[in-house]
Amino acid sequence: MRVIELVVQQSLTEEPLPDSLLGTPVLVSIPVRAHHLIVAAKWDVDELAIRERYCLNQYDSVSLMLCPALPHQFTHEQLLDVFAQGIRRLELGQETCVFLARTDIGLNDVISGLACLFDGYACGTVEQISTDNENAMVFKKTGFGGRLYLHQKVTERWVFLTLRHPNGPPNPVRNGRSECVLDRVEIQLETFGSKAKFLPIDDAQTSLTGSSVIVAGGRGMKSLDSFDLLHELATEIGGVVAASLPAVDAGWASVTRQVGQSGQYVRPDVYIAFGISGTSQHLAGIDPLTTIYAVNKDKDAHIFNVARAGVIESCETFLPLLLHELKQLKQNSQICLPTKTKTVT
Amino acid sequence: MRIAVLISGVLDYRRPIDKPSSGNWLDVIDSPSLPYRLSPFDEAALETALRLANLGGNHLTIITTDCSADKALTCTLLAYKPDDIIRLSVPSCLRGNARGLVTLLSVELEQQRAEADLWLMGREIGDLDDGHLAPYLAQCWGLPLVSNALVVNTQLTDLSLQRLRINRIEELTVQMPVIISMTNDRRNRLRHPLMKNLALAKRQTIPLHRFDLGSSGAVLSKAQLVAAEPVPTRYDSLENCHILQGEIAAQAREFARLLIDKTQSI
């Protein structure tokens, strides 16, 4: 079986070479004969840097698909084109292949589009991959709003999927591999939506994905001003701000901040819920291993059934006091809590 | 403009899923008696379709899939007074199988002569889709896809819209025909149907079209659900939540300490 991983370069300044998924727990349990990496890149990167980052006996090949003329970030239509060209260059033949990417808005579209383009199976977002006693691939995923695990057996030659939980320890350098082949291609892309305008989101830099501490607000926050206090709290404890659907509907937070069945799935170490009742739809967006703390004035709120500790009080009253105490404690002990982000391999 | 909106529905998320009497959780997928409701994404797609259809001179078709057997939900949809409604019965083996579903959907919609300039659907179609059906459908039909759209407006012969990406919102103009998958946004919150229309809808009968699996059996057999189990409840083994006591200032101090201890230990 071959694994072909698709990643996208996001920026030149922060990290010109995106994180790869090799070595994630999802992948170490399946017999893989060869690993290939295809990078969609807007900015050129030094060959040595690529070899240091990806090739140290880990990947059998790395394809840098360079699109220097791109006026802005990739659209998913362009990514589909880039990756299709990259896949064709690999000449994979009849071998069983798994094509995967980190689950992400936009990349899900690309993966499914590629599945259709190459007549493969679009498996959706997967949590685990294993093989059964007939060596067929079995994919574990969630369905029914995160309420059921489903195991799907697939005997297709090419399978396309995104990974929901790609975080894991770095993969050790594997010995005994043949030398990594580096393929650098410069390509021209057609543009989609020539009138496209890109509107940056103010808080885009503080992505929910990968954050270890999330401070979330719900309907019980009552106002946009109260949400400002959440941002202050998040700064104090090194977290990022999220919101429930009612808070997004009220216009207190952007839809990119929404956690839950209709929003994002997050897996921080700590999730602090303010004015969130804890509906099953909201909890479906929080990893079961996350520790939840809650503040809600309703003592019967469901959030207290799933929280480790809680305070029964209105957020408007409690938040200013909490901020005051936090500042006092930090001042007294000179604690510094930088923004915490999980290591993503 | 001909508008078609694909509505899948999801099992009522306000109710727990009970273990089927057979003991096999996979049977949940094919339990006709379980109540459905519109997902937030279905609602966003439907509201967008209704708003555009109401601009005048437009034709609206609602196509239901997973929820087709749910009479109450069908009545609700009828109460929105679409020009057409097509109820497709989707076999359980097709649920979550993008290729199988798209193949049969294409055949069935051709038979029903359901054509559209604008295809709208939720960003996820039903309980077993995680956003992969719409792009597969678009690629298969050779139509442009705009996914995770927040709002759609007409602009002469084109559509102007905003779509959500992980770190930005893109504003663009697209030509029809096009497939658009909607995500929830405060601008597309679903209106309530009129009570008189609901009463009228209860008297209507809409035929249910069953898919003919036919030659697609071979394709389907290459991907099948083999097992299912409930996701463990988050805190099945958790002790009761520790509710802080005492004066509110003291609670704030204890909570602050708790947060600092916890965040420092990460």
Side-chain angles (χ1 to χ4, degrees):
Chain A
M1 181 192 305
R2 286 174 186 263
V3 168
I4 298 93
E5 186 187 331
L6 313 174
V7 293
V8 185
Q9 188 188 48
Q10 298 291 350
S11 76
L12 182 64
T13 50
E14 287 179 17
E15 179 48 77
L17 291 170
D19 291 319
S20 64
L21 299 172
L22 193 71
T24 59
V26 172
L27 289 183
V28 293
S29 59
I30 53 171
V32 180
R33 196 179 71 77
H35 277 103
H36 304 278
L37 180 71
I38 302 177
V39 186
K42 181 181 168 185
W43 299 279
D44 201 359
V45 184
D46 177 59
E47 183 175 331
L48 259 178
I50 299 172
R51 288 198 177 278
E52 274 185 15
R53 181 121 164 97
Y54 297 134
C55 292
L56 291 171
N57 289 332
Q58 294 191 40
Y59 284 99
D60 296 82
S61 79
V62 175
S63 307
L64 188 74
M65 310 298 288
L66 192 58
C67 315
L70 206 62
H72 43 66
Q73 288 168 303
F74 290 98
T75 62
H76 76 259
E77 297 81 4
Q78 290 166 332
L79 282 177
L80 201 146
D81 188 8
V82 171
F83 287 132
Q85 291 190 43
I87 290 168
R88 289 193 186 101
R89 290 177 70 86
L90 287 176
E91 297 180 354
L92 295 165
Q94 296 300 309
E95 199 166 351
T96 303
C97 295
V98 177
F99 299 81
L100 52 89
R102 193 184 301 274
T103 187
D104 193 352
I105 298 171
L107 269 182
N108 290 358
D109 302 346
V110 175
I111 284 287
S112 291
L114 287 169
C116 185
L117 191 65
F118 289 102
D119 198 23
Y121 185 73
C123 200
T125 301
V126 163
E127 303 213 2
Q128 271 180 25
I129 310 173
S130 58
T131 50
D132 67 4
N133 46 18
E134 295 167 344
N135 241 4
M137 283 179 284
V138 178
F139 300 99
K140 181 181 178 184
K141 48 198 288 190
T142 56
F144 296 91
R147 289 183 287 175
L148 286 188
Y149 281 131
L150 302 161
H151 301 263
Q152 191 170 37
K153 178 178 175 177
V154 179
T155 53
E156 297 270 354
R157 190 170 62 87
W158 283 14
V159 181
F160 294 75
L161 56 92
T162 51
L163 291 180
R164 176 175 250 188
H165 297 314
N167 294 359
N171 197 46
V173 172
R174 294 181 300 163
N175 296 316
R177 311 287 299 199
S178 57
E179 193 182 345
C180 173
V181 176
L182 186 59
D183 183 23
R184 180 195 292 264
V185 195
E186 195 165 311
I187 53 178
Q188 298 298 321
L189 290 174
E190 288 182 17
T191 55
F192 170 80
S194 56
K195 295 172 190 169
K197 201 164 75 181
F198 295 84
L199 310 174
I201 300 167
D202 291 343
D203 50 5
Q205 297 308 315
T206 53
S207 168
L208 293 179
T209 310
S211 295
S212 292
V213 181
I214 290 180
V215 179
R219 197 197 306 271
M221 290 299 294
K222 294 281 176 65
S223 69
L224 186 60
D225 291 343
S226 301
F227 243 81
D228 289 341
L229 294 178
L230 279 192
H231 284 278
E232 202 178 326
L233 175 64
T235 308
E236 289 292 332
I237 59 172
V240 297
V241 173
S244 68
L245 173 63
V248 171
D249 276 352
W252 302 333
S254 84
V255 72
T256 55
R257 304 277 100 196
Q258 188 184 324
V259 168
Q261 190 179 7
S262 57
Q264 291 192 58
Y265 185 91
V266 294
R267 56 175 327 207
D269 293 298
V270 187
Y271 189 90
I272 310 153
F274 288 87
I276 291 175
S277 63
T279 61
S280 55
Q281 301 96 291
H282 184 72
L283 295 175
I286 308 169
D287 191 85
L289 297 176
T290 295
T291 301
I292 296 178
Y293 297 127
V295 177
N296 200 303
K297 69 176 182 182
D298 178 7
K299 66 179 173 52
D300 296 322
H302 180 61
I303 194 78
F304 291 123
N305 294 332
V306 295
R308 186 82 61 182
V311 171
I312 300 169
E313 188 55 73
S314 82
C315 299
E316 294 157 292
T317 313
F318 189 73
L319 252 173
L321 288 170
L322 177 63
L323 275 166
H324 172 75
E325 292 296 338
L326 264 174
K327 285 173 184 167
Q328 287 282 333
L329 277 172
K330 285 172 73 176
Q331 203 173 12
N332 294 344
S333 55
Q334 294 188 324
I335 295 167
C336 178
L337 295 169
T339 300
K340 292 177 185 297
T341 306
K342 289 187 172 189
T343 304
V344 178
T345 57
Chain B
M1 176 167 56
R2 294 162 303 174
I3 304 165
V5 58
L6 204 60
I7 299 289
S8 168
V10 290
L11 280 189
D12 192 340
Y13 43 75
R14 296 170 306 181
R15 300 167 61 153
I17 300 177
D18 296 324
K19 190 171 187 176
S21 55
S22 64
N24 185 354
W25 283 98
L26 273 180
D27 291 342
V28 167
I29 296 167
D30 202 18
S31 300
S33 59
L34 293 174
Y36 274 79
R37 60 183 293 126
L38 297 178
S39 75
F41 311 127
D42 287 329
E43 291 186 356
L46 182 56
E47 175 57 32
T48 305
L50 291 168
R51 187 172 48 78
L52 294 175
N54 287 350
L55 294 177
N58 298 324
H59 186 275
L60 173 61
T61 304
I62 294 178
I63 301 159
T64 61
T65 55
D66 296 5
C67 62
S68 291
D70 191 302
K71 288 179 183 168
L73 187 52
T74 305
C75 262
T76 305
L77 293 171
L78 274 168
Y80 286 108
K81 308 285 278 179
D83 298 292
D84 276 319
I85 184 162
I86 300 173
R87 294 168 66 207
L88 302 177
S89 172
V90 181
S92 55
C93 59
L94 279 184
R95 307 267 301 272
N97 181 334
R99 176 156 65 181
L101 187 56
V102 167
T103 305
L104 293 179
L105 202 57
S106 305
V107 172
E108 194 68 27
L109 291 179
E110 193 178 342
Q111 283 178 5
Q112 300 291 323
R113 299 182 190 284
E115 293 177 343
D117 307 297
L118 169 60
W119 294 90
L120 283 164
M121 60 196 74
R123 90 169 194 222
E124 293 173 6
I125 317 282
D127 280 312
L128 300 189
D129 178 49
D130 33 33
H132 293 260
L133 183 67
Y136 199 97
L137 190 66
Q139 189 70 31
C140 188
W141 287 0
L143 294 179
L145 166 76
V146 180
S147 64
N148 287 278
L150 297 161
V151 62
V152 182
N153 289 307
T154 52
Q155 192 180 71
L156 299 175
T157 57
D158 296 341
L159 295 172
S160 67
L161 49 90
Q162 288 184 357
R163 68 173 171 182
L164 181 66
R165 284 296 173 264
I166 196 72
N167 56 357
R168 63 185 188 272
I169 290 171
E170 292 175 2
E171 210 166 62
L172 63 161
T173 308
V174 291
Q175 290 183 328
M176 292 179 279
V178 63
I179 292 178
I180 298 179
S181 74
M182 301 294 302
T183 191
N184 53 310
D185 185 85
R186 60 191 309 219
R187 289 167 288 184
N188 54 41
R189 197 180 299 167
L190 183 60
R191 66 194 71 182
H192 292 291
L194 296 176
M195 291 304 287
K196 67 169 187 179
N197 290 344
L198 271 172
L200 286 171
K202 284 178 184 164
R203 294 181 214 153
Q204 286 184 261
T205 309
I206 306 290
L208 185 63
H209 299 279
R210 297 194 184 280
F211 274 130
D212 177 14
L213 287 173
S215 59
S216 60
V219 173
L220 296 175
S221 66
K222 290 187 175 179
Q224 56 186 9
L225 290 170
V226 290
E229 75 264 1
V231 173
T233 308
R234 175 180 311 276
Y235 292 106
D236 277 345
S237 57
L238 185 74
E239 293 172 9
N240 288 339
C241 175
H242 170 53
I243 301 290
L244 307 192
Q245 306 289 340
E247 291 293 317
I248 185 169
Q251 288 186 40
R253 201 169 308 126
E254 190 179 346
F255 202 70
R257 268 202 206 98
L258 201 141
L259 293 185
I260 284 181
D261 289 348
K262 184 69 185 174
T263 48
Q264 275 189 319
S265 68
I266 297 170

